Amino acid sequence: MSKLTRGNSKFAISGLVVFSILLAVTSAILTSCTSKEKQKSTDVIIWHWMTDREDVFNELAKRYEKQTGIVVKFETFAPSDAYRDKIRAATQGNLLPDVFSPLGDDRELAAYVKAGHIANLTKEMESGWKDRFFEKPLAYSSFFSGNQWDVEPGIYGVPIDVTSMQIYYNKGLFKEAGLDPENPPKTWPEFIEAGRKLRAAGIQPFVSGFGEGWLAGAFVSSYEWNLLGKQGVIDTIRGKLPYTDPRWVRLLGLLGEMREAGMFASGVATMVNKDAERLFATGRAAMAWNGSWGVNVYHSMNPKLNYGIMLPPRLPDAKYPLKIWGGGASSLNVNAESPNKDKAIAFLEWLTDDEQQAFLAQETRNIPANKRCCTALSPVLREFANNLDITQDRLPITEDWKVLSVKFTGMQSIVADYKTPEQVAKEIESEKKRVASAR
Amino acid sequence: MHNRSRISNLLFILPALAMFCVFSVYPFVKTFQLSAFQWDGVSKSMQFVGLNNYKDVLFNNPNFWYSMGAAGYITLLALIIQNALALLLAVLVDRGVKAQNFFRTTFFLPPVLSFIVVALVWKWIYDPNYGILNFGLTGLGMIQFQGFGWLSEAKTALTGVAVVHMWKGFGWGFIILLAGLQGIPRELYESASIDGASVWQQFKRITVPLMIPTFVVVSILTILGSMQIFDLIYGMTRGGPAGLTHVPITRIYEYMNNGEFGYATTMAVVFGLVLLIVSLVQINVSRRASQKI
């Protein structure tokens, strides 16, 4: 018995040794995954989500290495949801790369800044760097004094390129429906009428990835500025103007008007933007609400597509100017705790210089954040760039995401003919009150 | 000596115990701890809120409970239709139809496919503009289905997702039920047959009573699997249209994705408790039914 026990103990001890070795090997593999990323041969590591810019970024990194001897490695993680999750996990594990982006709203960016993960670049930007950028994207990368998150005022991000949203329209399909492709609708009634004509001609008039919610929100937001003005939008967020106000009901009702005119392509309420882009690129929808990135997407899907862009047609009786969604940028942030912080900042300064920005814009068909490089853009992109002036201003306050979620979901309900604008307005207001009471 | 034996035994289970503690016990405890805090997933500090998150989830979050209802609807359909189909096919295969192996493989094919792949394939099938379902229906003269958005219409979206979930899941039930059927001694059927029992009587008096433990397993797996549906919803509708296909896990994911980790964890705990209660009720009901029979 004692022999057996002694044998057992020996066996158990050897088992424990094997387990310890296994644990050590596993830990070594796991840590090597991270240390591999921080190997000495690489000076700056950048995590990004922009799959369409992967090759161009790599090419630019090669050029930079040739010029300076500094090795920059771009690592792509997509889709953007997965990228955000990776950034969050890396934050907890203290494994953030030298350059990254939290990819969230202002609240999220503020959380990263306040936790000391994102460097304040104001000092570097003030030495002339910021002069090369469009004003809006820089503003979207900054926090101003008195911001609602108590973040120290300053510039925290480096804009790479700018986006804004407009309506793309297929010139051929417009012609087919008897519409003038060189004179797209400029007012809301003209827009609805154009939709009716397109539908009568057997063409699906309008498509967008409203299944993603925020795209419907972005579309209606142009009219929020048009009908309520900047102060009205701010007052709503501050709770001074209820969502049940008749003007809000009217804003939500715009989607209802579009639905009644038969404007929406089939399946819009759950459609993701990739599918909406495919529908427009293949000529199955005449108009598409999409961002400036669409130029590159449509080119890759159908290089022969003949299209133009137009602003969302304004409401004829609205008091305020229509402002389009956009002005923000794909921007990158520097890890404040990185030992390679200075090298990372130097690289980003180089990346946003004229030559690199022109190359990036040309190769990826995006609007560069550097305003001096817009001459090389295609006519459509130049139009997008020119309209950056009429993009919505950065607000000092943002709506709670839960209220926005109910708002976007409500918009889908109207598109799907499931709820009336009045019902949706009540639901948004009730969520607003619920959120306020929970605080 | 006794102590040495104890120590050696403990050493044997130590690796497994360590793994269990690190990967199960610690996250479990941490989940409860996190549910009492407000935390954005980024900040270095968390704010203690006590039971406030629970109060809000339980009494002030109708969307969460609506999503629970949506998952309940999918589960109910799966329990009835999916399992009935699985049982029917299992009985047919058990009765010795030709090409049994072919059917076994075919029926088990959907469960081994990735959820996201299934979601994308079915999304394409349902697509109002390119989908083969509408193409087939309009080809058969049902012109009203031209451009019909199965997943974007409020009336059909949730059922549309449920159909895919049942298609994907019935293979599991089929395999387990088939194994249960094959475990019933053939002699029972032979003697019943000699005694003049009809096929229906044999099914009712022999198959059903002896299959109750298997039914319990299948129904619990169905409940847990259906209530926790996520990938299909995310791949097909993202909770839309109008939030009608949101289920608890997509709501939890939504909160986590928006930096409400503490609140999302509370939702997860509440959801876990609901599943536990449903499973216990299910076991209890099945046990009583078994005793009656």
Side-chain angles (χ1 to χ4, degrees):
Chain A
M1 192 64 194
S2 70
K3 256 187 192 175
L4 191 65
T5 314
R6 204 171 298 146
N8 273 358
S9 311
K10 271 186 187 169
F11 188 56
I13 289 164
S14 46
L16 199 65
V17 170
V18 170
F19 174 71
S20 309
I21 292 169
L22 276 174
L23 201 67
V25 171
T26 316
S27 314
I29 292 168
L30 286 173
T31 48
S32 75
C33 292
T34 53
S35 60
K36 215 182 264 173
E37 291 162 352
K38 299 200 173 184
Q39 56 194 276
K40 279 184 182 168
S41 60
T42 305
D43 295 295
V44 177
I45 293 168
I46 301 174
W47 284 0
H48 73 102
W49 66 100
M50 301 170 254
T51 43
D52 60 325
R53 278 155 263 193
E54 200 173 356
D55 294 341
V56 186
F57 280 154
N58 289 336
E59 170 59 27
L60 286 168
K62 264 188 215 161
R63 289 185 189 181
Y64 190 66
E65 189 183 347
K66 229 178 191 177
Q67 286 178 25
T68 62
I70 291 172
V71 182
V72 177
K73 194 175 177 197
F74 280 94
E75 292 181 353
T76 320
F77 302 97
S80 50
D81 280 356
Y83 175 80
R84 279 178 76 187
D85 291 343
K86 185 165 176 71
I87 293 292
R88 278 214 192 97
T91 307
Q92 290 312 309
N94 208 16
L95 295 166
L96 280 172
D98 307 306
V99 178
F100 66 100
S101 167
L103 262 197
D105 56 9
D106 290 349
R107 185 178 53 103
E108 196 159 352
L109 182 65
Y112 277 86
V113 172
K114 286 172 86 175
H117 297 305
I118 289 179
N120 186 340
L121 303 174
T122 313
K123 206 177 103 195
E124 289 81 0
M125 284 282 183
E126 290 297 348
S127 61
W129 186 7
K130 74 170 190 180
D131 300 338
R132 67 179 69 157
F133 295 111
F134 282 107
E135 210 177 294
K136 286 265 170 66
L138 206 60
Y140 276 97
S141 301
S142 310
F143 283 101
F144 302 110
S145 57
N147 64 80
Q148 71 181 116
W149 299 277
D150 297 325
V151 174
E152 186 192 340
I155 302 168
Y156 288 90
V158 180
I160 303 298
D161 44 43
V162 202
T163 54
S164 74
M165 298 193 76
Q166 290 191 219
I167 297 171
Y168 291 75
Y169 66 95
N170 183 316
K171 291 187 175 178
L173 294 180
F174 259 47
K175 225 176 189 176
E176 232 179 280
L179 297 163
D180 180 1
E182 301 312 320
N183 189 22
K186 288 187 176 56
T187 64
W188 184 260
E190 285 173 22
F191 178 58
I192 295 290
E193 192 47 38
R196 285 209 173 95
K197 280 188 178 164
L198 284 159
R199 182 57 77 184
I203 298 163
Q204 300 200 95
F206 183 92
V207 74
S208 188
F210 281 2
E212 292 179 25
W214 74 272
L215 278 160
F219 180 72
V220 175
S221 75
S222 308
Y223 296 101
E224 292 171 14
W225 286 69
N226 197 199
L227 199 64
L228 306 170
K230 184 178 177 178
Q231 196 53 47
V233 175
I234 293 173
D235 285 349
T236 308
I237 300 171
R238 292 215 161 112
K240 290 179 188 167
L241 179 69
Y243 281 102
T244 43
D245 185 275
R247 285 172 292 171
W248 269 104
V249 176
R250 183 170 173 212
L251 283 166
L252 294 165
L254 295 175
L255 294 171
E257 278 182 52
M258 287 176 75
R259 188 199 64 238
E260 277 160 21
M263 287 188 77
F264 292 121
S266 302
V268 156
T270 48
M271 196 178 281
V272 292
N273 207 32
K274 211 21 97 196
D275 292 341
E277 285 166 343
R278 188 162 46 113
L279 221 57
F280 181 74
T282 52
R284 286 182 173 241
M287 291 183 273
W289 169 247
N290 205 6
S292 47
W293 62 82
V295 174
N296 193 33
V297 174
Y298 298 138
H299 178 81
S300 65
M301 286 178 172
N302 180 6
K304 288 181 182 166
L305 188 68
N306 181 20
Y307 65 86
I309 56 165
M310 63 182 189
L311 289 169
R314 62 178 198 283
L315 299 171
D317 56 332
K319 273 197 232 162
Y320 304 96
L322 183 137
K323 296 253 180 179
I324 50 175
W325 187 96
S330 303
S331 56
L332 293 169
N333 306 91
V334 176
N335 181 354
E337 293 151 328
S338 161
N340 303 317
K341 192 176 138 189
D342 294 338
K343 282 181 189 171
I345 293 171
F347 174 72
L348 291 176
E349 198 164 350
W350 178 85
L351 186 69
T352 52
D353 211 347
D354 298 8
E355 193 185 332
Q356 287 67 247
Q357 282 275 288
F359 177 68
L360 199 64
Q362 210 165 4
E363 293 295 312
T364 65
R365 294 180 188 83
N366 279 299
I367 310 169
N370 183 326
K371 62 188 173 194
R372 301 189 295 235
C373 305
C374 285
T375 45
L377 298 177
S378 68
V380 170
L381 271 180
R382 214 175 308 141
E383 205 175 327
F384 266 114
N386 291 339
N387 286 335
L388 283 175
D389 290 340
I390 56 161
T391 52
Q392 295 159 12
D393 299 335
R394 185 156 198 226
L395 298 177
I397 186 169
T398 53
E399 186 59 280
D400 189 280
W401 75 267
K402 291 185 278 292
V403 177
L404 287 179
S405 174
V406 172
K407 189 173 159 187
F408 299 159
T409 305
M411 287 174 181
Q412 286 180 347
S413 308
I414 297 167
V415 171
D417 200 11
Y418 178 59
K419 282 176 188 165
T420 64
E422 289 79 7
Q423 277 175 305
V424 172
K426 269 185 199 161
E427 282 177 8
I428 305 171
E429 187 58 24
S430 141
E431 182 66 10
K432 177 108 185 147
K433 283 182 179 151
R434 191 186 79 80
V435 168
S437 71
R439 277 197 199 117
Chain B
M1 222 57 224
H2 186 66
N3 276 348
R4 281 190 69 174
S5 163
R6 260 199 171 166
I7 291 167
S8 68
N9 289 346
L10 273 175
L11 283 173
F12 267 121
I13 61 163
L14 194 64
L17 192 68
M19 295 279 230
F20 180 70
C21 287
V22 170
F23 296 110
S24 292
V25 178
Y26 176 73
F28 193 71
V29 173
K30 194 77 187 162
T31 302
F32 278 95
Q33 186 206 354
L34 202 54
S35 69
F37 285 87
Q38 194 181 340
W39 184 49
D40 57 18
V42 177
S43 305
K44 285 170 182 165
S45 60
M46 298 189 277
Q47 191 193 340
F48 181 73
V49 292
L51 294 175
N52 280 358
N53 285 344
Y54 284 92
K55 205 172 113 190
D56 199 74
V57 170
L58 290 171
F59 306 111
N60 200 20
N61 193 338
N63 285 339
F64 178 67
W65 292 103
Y66 178 84
S67 72
M68 196 78 83
Y73 173 75
I74 294 173
T75 305
L76 193 69
L77 287 187
L79 273 173
I80 299 167
I81 301 171
Q82 175 188 311
N83 288 344
L85 182 68
L87 180 65
L88 178 73
L89 294 172
V91 168
L92 288 177
V93 171
D94 186 52
R95 290 285 152 114
V97 287
K98 278 182 188 169
Q100 275 189 27
N101 285 339
F102 169 76
F103 286 118
R104 256 181 234 178
T105 313
T106 310
F107 297 152
F108 202 61
L109 205 58
V112 296
L113 294 173
S114 143
F115 272 100
I116 287 295
V117 170
V118 169
L120 292 177
V121 168
W122 274 88
K123 204 175 139 192
W124 177 74
I125 291 172
Y126 280 138
D127 192 291
N129 298 291
Y130 303 97
I132 56 165
L133 181 61
N134 285 357
F135 181 77
L137 291 173
T138 46
L140 291 170
M142 289 181 253
I143 204 78
Q144 68 271 29
F145 289 111
Q146 192 168 18
F148 186 80
W150 294 93
L151 297 175
S152 58
E153 290 288 332
K155 284 177 191 161
T156 52
L158 189 59
T159 310
V161 174
V163 166
V164 182
H165 174 71
M166 289 188 284
W167 177 84
K168 170 100 176 72
F170 87 90
W172 282 113
F174 165 76
I175 286 289
I176 299 169
L177 291 168
L178 183 62
L181 287 172
Q182 289 180 342
I184 299 174
R186 300 286 130 171
E187 298 81 26
L188 294 175
Y189 292 108
E190 282 164 15
S191 42
S193 183
I194 290 164
D195 289 342
S198 66
V199 174
W200 173 244
Q201 282 171 324
Q202 286 175 35
F203 180 78
K204 208 172 132 187
R205 301 283 178 199
I206 301 171
T207 310
V208 171
L210 292 175
M211 283 290 284
I212 281 188
T214 316
F215 289 149
V216 174
V217 170
V218 171
S219 55
I220 286 178
L221 288 177
T222 307
I223 290 169
L224 297 182
S226 304
M227 288 297 285
Q228 293 185 69
I229 182 173
F230 171 73
D231 321 47
L232 278 181
I233 304 271
Y234 193 73
M236 291 173 81
T237 61
R238 293 190 174 215
L244 290 168
T245 59
H246 260 301
V247 289
I249 308 272
T250 55
R251 284 286 180 207
I252 292 167
Y253 181 74
E254 188 188 24
Y255 273 76
M256 281 218 167
N257 216 18
N258 282 288
E260 304 237 9
F261 277 69
Y263 194 90
T265 314
T266 312
M267 288 164 100
V269 170
V270 171
F271 181 48
L273 288 173
V274 169
L275 290 187
L276 186 72
I277 293 166
V278 171
S279 301
L280 289 175
V281 169
Q282 163 71 14
I283 290 171
N284 205 15
V285 169
S286 305
R287 198 175 288 158
R288 280 186 190 174
S290 163
Q291 279 165 358
K292 267 188 189 172
I293 290 172

